[in-house]
Amino acid sequence: RPAAGVALPVASASCAPAQGTSSGGAVPFTVTLTKGIAGFGMNLTPDNVVVAIKPGSEAAACGLIQPGDRVLHLNGQAVSVDEPVKSFAIDLADGAAATFSLVRHADADSAGGAAHIPVVDGSPATPPQQPAAPAAAPPPLSADDDLARRLADLKRG
């Protein structure tokens, strides 16, 4: 780790959007980023969808990657829920260049709604949660129910 106050240079990112669109309004593109001490600067879901771009990171410097984009390949290796980006990226040394193949969906439905995730200070905003409804109290046990429960407990040992 560098000493406090030491500025780390941000390496240049090579961003090359692919031409045209594929079916369903998806726009494929590739980005080559250099791995820094803190990685590439993207927070991803388990299924490799970008949820946040870290300010000052390689991904931010590139300017092409947005929340909702899905990573399909890293250095030509297909990524999935079973083999996410981080399983390949962890083996790359700091300073190594990596090529990400991504796709951006034109509509929120094809991106699973992820295309509209707001980013605040590099972190995705979380929607407000509804309070849980109180659980209904179980009905009182009758004498027969209580006896049956005790018998079952005794049989289990």
Side-chain angles (χ1 to χ4, degrees):
R1 251 179 160 16
V6 175
L8 294 175
V10 175
S12 62
S14 168
C15 303
Q19 300 298 316
T21 62
S22 63
S23 64
V27 179
F29 62 101
T30 60
V31 175
T32 300
L33 304 174
T34 301
K35 184 176 180 183
I37 295 171
F40 296 100
M42 297 179 280
N43 290 341
L44 304 174
T45 64
D47 58 341
N48 303 298
V49 174
V50 177
V51 292
I53 305 296
K54 297 175 186 172
S57 68
E58 281 283 302
C62 172
L64 236 164
I65 303 169
Q66 298 176 5
D69 293 345
R70 180 180 302 273
V71 179
L72 303 175
H73 298 90
L74 175 59
N75 288 338
Q77 297 287 322
V79 297
S80 66
V81 172
D82 295 327
E83 293 184 301
V85 168
K86 65 182 176 181
S87 67
F88 296 104
I90 196 157
D91 294 331
L92 298 172
D94 291 348
T99 301
F100 292 82
S101 298
L102 300 100
V103 65
R104 176 168 306 141
H105 291 278
D107 59 345
D109 291 336
S110 32
H116 299 290
I117 298 171
V119 177
V120 179
D121 295 328
S123 303
T126 53
Q129 299 295 318
Q130 295 294 327
L141 294 176
S142 69
D144 289 339
D145 291 335
D146 188 43
L147 210 57
R149 183 187 54 78
R150 288 183 185 179
L151 181 59
D153 288 344
L154 286 173
K155 285 182 180 178
R156 279 188 243 130

